[in-house]
């Protein structure tokens, strides 16, 4: 394989062609990519005097059986531009070379091997779904937020706890409009009980008051829980 050097709207001196051959060592390139087909170097010159600091541009194109690799750079002379473009080409060749070797060296794990190699990985069943941990009684138990659910329990996507100060219904409506929600949970300042104000149709609102059943309170101990705010 030879290096083809050509100029676009400019003449390429023989001295520069020899410098290209010395700079772009084919043995080194073929060691990084053994399937190189061609290597082209194009030199062009920008006639605009305002771009004198980057008037000379060098573009290197390497074609192989894999993806085409290009590297280009501009400088105030073609030799400096070639040096910059060659550094970029070398970096991209090494990156491509390392990627190929990483893919070859890596062995894919089977689904059965994943729990042995990856700490905390879920075990999958035949359908590809995660198998929950088995408890001594044989009933699968999974952790959802702060709850431990046995079997098929409710799915809690998010849990929040807010500190709520008692307020009037008018204040609750104002707070709901302020946060832009369709409902607002608050503690009624008159009844001291949890209540929910919600948006119905157009500008109509509804309110739900929650009162404690004294019979249930006497029969059962109070359950621990948090207070949610809007």
């Amino acid at each position: 394989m030879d290096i083809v050097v050509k100029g676009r709207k400019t003449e390429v001196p023989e001295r520069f062609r020899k410098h290209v051959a010395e700079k772009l060592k084919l043995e080194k390139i073929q060691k990084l990519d053994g399937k190189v087909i061609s290597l082209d170097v194009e030199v062009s010159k920008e006639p605009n005097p305002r771009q004198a600091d980057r008037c000379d541009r060098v573009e290197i194109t390497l074609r192989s059986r894999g993806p085409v690799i290009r590297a280009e750079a501009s400088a105030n002379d073609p030799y400096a531009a070639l040096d910059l473009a060659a550094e970029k080409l070398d970096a991209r060749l090494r990156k491509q070379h390392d990627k190929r070797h990483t893919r070859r060296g890596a062995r894919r794990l089977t689904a059965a091997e994943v729990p042995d190699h990856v700490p905390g990985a879920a075990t999958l069943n035949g359908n590809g779904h995660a198998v929950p941990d088995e408890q001594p009684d044989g009933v699968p138990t999974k952790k959802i937020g702060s709850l431990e659910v046995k079997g098929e329990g409710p799915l809690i996507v998010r849990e929040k706890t807010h500190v709520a100060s008692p307020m009037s219904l008018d204040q609750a409506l104002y707070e709901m409009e302020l946060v832009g929600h369709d409902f607002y949970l608050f503690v009624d300042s008159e009844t001291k009980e949890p209540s929910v104000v919600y948006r119905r149709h157009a500008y109509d609102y509804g309110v739900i008051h929650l009162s404690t059943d004294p019979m249930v309170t006497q029969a059962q101990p109070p359950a621990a829980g948090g207070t949610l705010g809007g």
Side-chain angles (χ1 to χ4, degrees):
M1 182 191 69
D2 296 326
I3 301 176
V4 178
V5 183
K6 57 184 178 180
R8 182 160 60 90
K9 298 181 180 180
T10 185
E11 293 291 333
V12 180
E14 189 62 27
R15 177 188 171 191
F16 183 79
R17 295 178 185 273
K18 292 181 180 180
H19 183 70
V20 170
E22 294 173 357
K23 190 69 179 178
L24 303 178
K25 298 185 181 299
L26 293 179
E27 298 82 2
K28 182 179 178 181
I29 293 176
Q30 289 175 334
K31 186 177 293 185
L32 295 173
D33 189 346
K35 300 179 180 180
V36 178
I37 299 174
S38 65
L39 185 61
D40 299 331
V41 178
E42 183 180 88
V43 184
S44 60
K45 195 171 185 66
E46 173 59 53
N48 189 345
R50 296 182 179 179
Q51 299 181 358
D53 57 336
R54 49 191 176 92
C55 58
D56 290 286
R57 178 172 173 271
V58 173
E59 179 179 340
I60 305 174
T61 303
L62 185 148
R63 293 181 175 84
S64 66
R65 296 181 185 177
V68 176
I69 300 177
R70 285 191 175 87
E72 59 183 62
S74 299
N76 57 357
D77 68 80
Y79 294 90
L82 175 65
D83 291 345
L84 294 174
E87 290 178 4
K88 293 181 181 179
L89 178 69
D90 183 70
R92 291 170 186 174
L93 275 172
R94 291 183 182 279
K95 183 178 180 180
Q96 191 71 19
H97 176 267
D98 294 342
K99 185 185 295 185
R100 285 196 301 267
H101 280 261
T102 301
R103 289 177 179 174
R104 291 174 186 171
R107 184 180 71 86
R108 291 188 177 181
L109 300 176
T110 63
E113 295 175 321
V114 170
D116 298 332
H117 292 79
V118 182
T123 304
L124 303 181
N125 59 19
N127 297 325
H129 298 134
V131 179
D133 296 335
E134 293 287 339
Q135 296 299 311
D137 57 3
V139 180
T141 302
K142 53 187 175 181
K143 190 81 171 179
I144 302 178
S146 60
L147 302 177
E148 285 189 359
V149 181
K150 284 190 175 184
E152 296 296 329
L155 178 60
I156 298 177
V157 252
R158 187 170 59 178
E159 181 181 4
K160 281 187 176 181
T161 301
H162 295 272
V163 178
S165 300
M167 63 180 67
S168 64
L169 177 59
D170 291 341
Q171 180 66 22
L173 287 171
Y174 173 77
E175 294 290 342
M176 183 183 71
E177 294 293 343
L178 193 64
V179 297
H181 290 174
D182 292 329
F183 69 95
Y184 191 81
L185 176 62
F186 68 103
V187 177
D188 195 305
S189 57
E190 294 183 4
T191 63
K192 301 298 187 291
E193 297 285 356
S195 302
V196 176
V197 63
Y198 61 95
R199 191 190 314 276
R200 298 184 73 246
H201 303 289
Y203 294 98
D204 293 338
Y205 300 97
V207 61
I208 300 175
H209 298 287
L210 184 64
S211 60
T212 306
D213 189 340
M215 299 298 295
V216 175
T217 305
Q218 294 176 4
Q220 297 179 357
T227 304
L228 295 178

